[in-house]
Amino acid sequence: MQPLEQGAVIDLHTHTHHSDGTESPTELVHAARAAGVRVLALTDHDVSTGWAEADRAGAQVGVGVVPGIEVSCSHRGASVHLLAYLPDPDHEDLAAELERCRDSRRTRLSDMVDLLAADGYPVTHDEVREVAGAGATLGRPHLADVLVRNGVYPDRDRAFAGVLAASSPYYVSHHAPDPARATELVVAAGGVPVMAHPFAGRRGRVVAAEVLPAMVEAGLVGIEVDHRDHGTQERAEAARAAKRFGLLPTGSSDYHGQGKPNRLGENTTSPEVLASLLARGTGAHLLGDWG
Ligand code: AMP
Ligand code: ZN
Ligand code: FE
Ligand code: FE
């Protein structure tokens, strides 16, 4: 693959059906190419199973693929997401933590199905399994898809505003590491940790100010500044945090295919920041010579 040209579009946060996106890695890479994205990071929730397919598709169509994972974390009951670029997916402690998280996500979603079904909502375990597909990291979006399919809500967004909200009586939490511990694990696995959408208030309680010092201490490298769930004020706040803690500022779409309105390349990362991120990652390899 050729080195990056000036003005290359770089999008470092996307999902496929290996977690709660709606497309395969090949479809994602083709969509990225059609959207003019030159470098794409695949960051499925808590899983790296989509990397190989994305790599192959990227090499074929000339899209650089950065292998990543969006690690689910939690701090005093609040959800925090940590992007990890180029971690070794076989690093024992990281792999064990991710597996524990995926396991707990299965139990948790099953408990939510039971609670909803007991109150007469049309949803079954089989349907959730069917919409998610085998092996995917299970999440509330899969439950949302069943509720949409069965006519309870018109779309995922409405389901999240309804029975799937964190404040809903049907909400069940799952195991997730503290963000500082996850940062440490990602660093140990040779990965580059970047805090995702730190000030996205519509997702629930914002704990960035509380957790950032410990994450920085543990080796945090970057922070997502430009993201759809950040307004002007949140972007400014994230940029200030980047300056204060010496973190690299990133921007990305958090694309989920048809599962969300987010479009590929709607927010981007600069080539300089990408180069700095890639220079720090030692756990996984890039295909081709474009970084
Ligand atoms: P979970 O990790 O299972 O608790 O579910 C959270 C996931 O759902 C996150 O990855 C979000 O990308 C996704 N999500 C959150 N809010 C919405 C929404 N309003 N519409 C669609 N997906 C959402
Ligand atoms: Zn997601
Ligand atoms: Fe996220
Ligand atoms: Fe995401």
Side-chain angles (χ1 to χ4, degrees):
M1 211 171 292
Q2 298 301 307
L4 288 187
E5 57 287 342
Q6 276 255 311
V9 177
I10 299 163
D11 186 344
L12 296 184
H13 181 167
T14 67
H15 298 268
T16 70
H17 65 206
H18 286 260
S19 62
D20 56 4
T22 58
E23 295 170 345
S24 69
T26 303
E27 287 166 334
L28 166 71
V29 167
H30 288 202
R33 163 123 178 113
V37 173
R38 180 69 175 78
V39 178
L40 177 79
L42 171 56
T43 54
D44 273 313
H45 299 284
D46 307 312
V47 83
S48 60
T49 45
W51 289 3
E53 185 185 321
D55 245 357
R56 279 193 300 274
Q60 271 166 15
V61 302
V63 171
V65 173
V66 179
I69 300 173
E70 187 174 16
V71 182
S72 307
C73 309
S74 132
H75 181 77
R76 297 196 184 164
S79 157
V80 174
H81 287 173
L82 180 70
L83 295 162
Y85 300 111
L86 296 165
D88 173 4
D90 299 322
H91 182 273
E92 210 171 310
D93 293 342
L94 178 64
E97 188 58 51
L98 293 175
E99 192 180 337
R100 186 168 169 211
C101 191
R102 292 195 304 270
D103 264 357
S104 163
R105 280 176 161 285
R106 274 192 285 275
T107 320
R108 168 270 196 140
L109 213 66
S110 164
D111 290 349
M112 287 183 73
V113 168
D114 288 341
L115 287 172
L116 286 163
D119 269 2
Y121 285 94
V123 50
T124 65
H125 299 284
D126 282 349
E127 284 173 295
V128 171
R129 261 195 298 274
E130 187 195 325
V131 303
T137 301
L138 290 178
R140 282 179 286 162
H142 298 118
L143 199 40
D145 288 347
V146 174
L147 292 168
V148 169
R149 186 161 87 176
N150 293 340
V152 181
Y153 294 107
D155 52 39
R156 277 186 177 183
D157 206 38
R158 239 63 74 90
F160 267 85
V163 294
L164 300 185
S167 55
S168 148
Y170 302 102
Y171 180 83
V172 178
S173 63
H174 60 82
H175 164 81
D178 189 85
R181 170 69 185 145
T183 304
E184 211 172 80
L185 281 173
V186 169
V187 171
V192 185
V194 173
M195 190 179 188
H197 44 69
F199 295 102
R202 73 187 281 260
R203 293 160 173 264
R205 198 157 63 85
V206 168
V207 293
E210 237 171 274
V211 299
L212 268 168
M215 292 174 80
V216 169
E217 180 79 13
L220 189 69
V221 170
I223 186 165
E224 212 171 44
V225 171
D226 292 319
H227 184 286
R228 170 182 286 251
D229 294 353
H230 284 172
T232 315
Q233 228 169 317
E234 288 78 23
R235 285 173 200 230
E237 211 165 344
R240 271 200 301 277
K243 271 223 166 72
R244 175 169 166 213
F245 293 109
L247 301 169
L248 295 169
T250 69
S252 47
S253 67
D254 205 353
Y255 178 76
H256 280 68
Q258 302 311 306
K260 278 184 155 188
N262 310 29
R263 293 301 95 196
L264 283 160
E266 67 176 29
N267 286 297
T268 59
T269 297
S270 76
E272 294 75 27
V273 166
L274 173 68
S276 302
L277 291 173
L278 295 181
R280 308 277 298 255
T282 57
H285 294 289
L286 291 171
L287 204 64
D289 179 25
W290 49 267

